[in-house]
């Protein structure tokens, strides 16, 4: 299975600040079709995961431009600028390039 | 609007089978891939498997031969059965749709999740 190493585990932030979350895969996530199936989700307390970014850098419908994704190959980053209270929760990366799909362990974004 | 809703017993005894239903409204399950994902206590997430628009299935090898995903297109529902459960199967179970159509890309719509505890 592809191991997704997500760091940090916990990320204290001040409102209005900027943070980055890293996700590294144990093998390249470039699919034979040329796409890279690396996605980012946020799970707020008591809710189901919600899609933020798909295929590395594409913001899902309704996601503010404060969220941005970047990376390639095995190294990916989610950046959140001007953090707002509704951004708090657990962030996950997910790869669907290789079977079985695998998730990162999660990063909990919380207030300092 | 697409909605998914999981249902099923919240408590299952060890060695028994876990059976869950995902009811979909606002979209036909004969399009797209439809998956089951679970979240264990402590945040770990695991993709369990999917059923496709045509009824074909794919499962996480970690679940070996314990898992089965089926569907009833007349009711627009799909189902998860996990056999021989142990306490390690205690988790919140989610169903979700994969998008775009006919691809195994990202999960866009998720159910609210159902917590299942395996305990005697």
């Amino acid at each position: 299975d592809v191991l997704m190493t997500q760091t940090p585990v916990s990320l204290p932030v001040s409102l209005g600040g900027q943070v980055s979350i890293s996700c590294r895969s144990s093998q390249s996530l470039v699919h034979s079709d040329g796409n890279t199936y690396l996605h980012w989700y946020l799970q707020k307390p008591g809710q189901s995961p919600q899609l933020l970014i798909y295929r590395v850098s594409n913001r899902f419908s309704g996601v503010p431009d404060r969220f941005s994704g970047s990376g390639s190959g095995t190294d990916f980053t989610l950046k959140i600028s001007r953090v707002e209270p509704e951004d708090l929760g657990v962030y996950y990366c997910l790869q669907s390039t290789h079977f079985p799909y695998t998730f990162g362990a999660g990063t909990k974004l919380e207030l300092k | 609007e697409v909605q998914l809703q999981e249902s099923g017993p919240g408590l299952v005894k060890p060695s028994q089978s876990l059976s869950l239903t995902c009811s979909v409204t606002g979209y036909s399950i004969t399009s797209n891939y439809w998956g089951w994902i679970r979240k264990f206590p402590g945040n770990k997430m695991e993709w369990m498997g999917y059923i496709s628009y045509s009824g074909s299935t794919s499962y996480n090898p970690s679940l070996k031969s314990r898992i089965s995903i089926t569907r009833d297109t007349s009711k627009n529902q799909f189902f998860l059965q996990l056999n021989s459960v142990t306490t390690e199967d205690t988790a919140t179970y989610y169903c979700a749709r994969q998008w775009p159509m006919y691809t195994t890309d990202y999960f866009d719509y998720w159910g609210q999740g159902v917590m299942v505890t395996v305990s005697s």
Side-chain angles (χ1 to χ4, degrees), chain A residues 37 41 43 48 55 92 96 101, chain B residues 39 43 94 104-105 107 111:
Chain A
Y37 295 102
Y41 290 85
Q43 186 167 31
S48 54
R55 277 182 256 128
Y92 295 94
S96 57
Y101 309 153
Chain B
K39 181 178 178 180
N43 284 345
Y94 298 94
T104 54
D105 201 331
F107 297 103

Side-chain angles (χ1 to χ4, degrees), chain B residues 29-34 50-58 71:
Chain B
I29 65 168
T30 58
S31 302
N32 296 67
Y33 288 76
W34 303 85
Y50 68 60
I51 187 163
S52 78
Y53 52 91
S54 66
S56 63
T57 55
S58 179
R71 66 179 184 171

Side-chain angles (χ1 to χ4, degrees), chain B residues 2-22:
Chain B
V2 181
Q3 291 188 324
L4 295 85
Q5 174 85 47
E6 304 90 348
S7 59
L11 180 64
V12 180
K13 287 181 166 42
S15 81
Q16 293 188 344
S17 293
L18 179 163
S19 295
L20 298 176
T21 298
C22 183

Side-chain angles (χ1 to χ4, degrees), chain B residues 38-91:
Chain B
R38 60 182 178 177
K39 181 178 178 180
F40 298 100
N43 284 345
K44 179 185 173 184
M45 298 274 281
E46 179 181 62
W47 172 77
M48 301 181 72
Y50 68 60
I51 187 163
S52 78
Y53 52 91
S54 66
S56 63
T57 55
S58 179
Y59 303 130
N60 192 322
S62 70
L63 297 167
K64 298 178 183 177
S65 57
R66 295 199 298 137
I67 186 174
S68 176
I69 300 176
T70 56
R71 66 179 184 171
D72 183 337
T73 57
S74 67
K75 294 182 178 179
N76 217 38
Q77 296 175 325
F78 62 105
F79 313 100
L80 171 70
Q81 181 169 319
L82 187 64
N83 300 322
S84 306
V85 298
T86 71
T87 56
E88 295 190 352
D89 294 308
T90 293

Side-chain angles (χ1 to χ4, degrees), chain A:
Chain A
D1 296 2
V2 176
L3 177 64
M4 303 297 289
T5 302
Q6 189 176 336
T7 55
V9 172
S10 176
L11 189 50
V13 64
S14 299
L15 295 179
Q18 177 174 303
V19 295
S20 293
I21 300 170
S22 169
C23 189
R24 289 193 167 97
S25 57
S26 60
Q27 56 184 280
S28 174
L29 297 186
V30 180
H31 195 274
S32 56
D33 65 8
N35 289 312
T36 300
Y37 295 102
L38 184 284
H39 321 295
W40 290 95
Y41 290 85
L42 164 61
Q43 186 167 31
K44 299 179 184 180
Q47 298 184 19
S48 54
Q50 58 187 80
L51 178 65
L52 298 173
I53 302 287
Y54 62 94
R55 277 182 256 128
V56 180
S57 59
N58 298 279
R59 270 188 302 277
F60 187 57
S61 174
V63 175
D65 61 7
R66 302 183 290 101
F67 292 88
S68 63
S70 62
S72 63
T74 62
D75 198 351
F76 305 93
T77 301
L78 175 71
K79 289 185 180 176
I80 313 166
S81 59
R82 308 182 303 279
V83 171
E84 298 187 5
E86 59 263 33
D87 300 338
L88 302 180
V90 182
Y91 289 79
Y92 295 94
C93 56
L94 162 67
Q95 70 82 20
S96 57
T97 296
H98 303 286
F99 278 97
Y101 309 153
T102 46
F103 289 84
T107 295
K108 187 173 184 179
L109 187 66
E110 51 195 358
L111 287 178
K112 278 184 181 174

